[in-house]
Amino acid sequence: MKPSPKGRLSFFSFFFFKNMLRSVAELNHNFKSRIMTSHNVLTHQPHRTVTEPHFFILSKGKNAGKPLKESCPNCFLITVKTEEETENLYWIAYTLWKANFWHQYQYGSVIPFIRIGTFKSCFRDEVIKAYKKHQKHLDFVNRIRKLEELQHHYSKTIEQIENLKWALLQNQLR
């Protein structure tokens, strides 16, 4: 006995429905990624006033790609909506810079630089990768912050030791 055409349609509709659900899930995932990475990258202009949380990325020189808390000539401005997102993006940028990620995208033989279009697309892709592993990224950020604080503490201690040595040397010469 031959199955009815109506039965075949329902058999194939199962696969169609399954593929449709998969594509909706991918769209939903992409939508969430866009929401989580709502940052704006601009060329920094000193006369521009910025009210949103922000940080800077050096765009020229051997340290191109280095995140900065304060502006300098030749840098990009990254604005976000919250301070938490500023910290997250700052540490992603710091990781990329320390890993020499931006060296492959530098142009110029005398003074290397990163083009803003290249920076925008690559940075967005790396942010999305980091946010896919959000908890791991947060743990990483906390560990890096602690190491930065420890480094700052030790550099202050070294500075105080240098001052003490200088004072002892000055005292010895009197």
Side-chain angles (χ1 to χ4, degrees), residues 1-171:
M1 196 172 197
K2 235 177 171 182
S4 67
K6 192 175 185 180
R8 284 187 191 153
L9 184 61
S10 65
F11 176 76
F12 290 113
S13 64
F14 169 77
F15 292 106
F16 175 75
F17 184 71
K18 183 178 173 184
N19 286 337
M20 191 172 75
L21 283 177
R22 184 179 300 140
S23 62
V24 167
E26 288 173 2
L27 284 174
N28 190 23
H29 175 71
N30 290 339
F31 180 71
K32 285 180 182 176
S33 296
R34 277 189 224 119
I35 288 174
M36 291 177 74
T37 59
S38 60
H39 63 275
N40 194 15
V41 180
L42 306 165
T43 303
H44 174 61
Q45 297 170 354
H47 64 274
R48 179 185 294 156
T49 56
V50 184
T51 57
E52 302 96 11
H54 61 279
F55 67 98
F56 303 93
I57 299 285
L58 191 60
S59 64
K60 287 189 179 179
K62 291 185 178 183
N63 282 326
K66 181 179 181 178
L68 307 166
K69 297 287 185 181
E70 299 295 322
S71 68
C72 69
N74 303 318
C75 65
F76 302 135
L77 168 68
I78 299 183
T79 59
V80 293
K81 294 181 180 174
T82 64
E83 282 295 328
E84 180 184 351
E85 195 173 3
T86 303
E87 283 295 309
N88 283 332
L89 293 180
Y90 177 87
W91 289 109
I92 291 170
Y94 181 83
T95 303
L96 294 173
W97 171 66
K98 277 297 198 180
N100 294 325
F101 177 81
W102 298 111
H103 285 217
Q104 61 188 334
Y105 298 107
Q106 290 180 349
Y107 297 94
S109 57
V110 178
I111 300 174
F113 65 95
I114 303 171
R115 293 183 176 137
I116 192 166
T118 304
F119 179 82
K120 282 181 182 181
S121 63
C122 294
F123 188 65
R124 182 199 55 209
D125 293 344
E126 294 302 315
V127 167
I128 289 171
K129 284 181 193 175
Y131 277 162
K132 283 182 181 177
K133 303 172 190 170
H134 192 64
Q135 188 57 45
K136 185 177 177 182
H137 169 69
L138 291 178
D139 293 342
F140 167 77
V141 167
N142 288 333
R143 288 193 311 250
I144 289 291
R145 273 191 201 144
K146 288 177 184 174
L147 287 173
E148 285 286 318
E149 289 171 4
L150 193 61
Q151 182 180 8
H152 181 69
H153 173 71
Y154 284 144
S155 63
K156 287 285 187 188
T157 304
I158 289 172
E159 186 179 321
Q160 290 171 350
I161 290 171
E162 290 292 326
N163 290 339
L164 183 59
K165 273 179 27 182
W166 178 255
L168 287 173
L169 288 171
Q170 292 296 319
N171 192 23

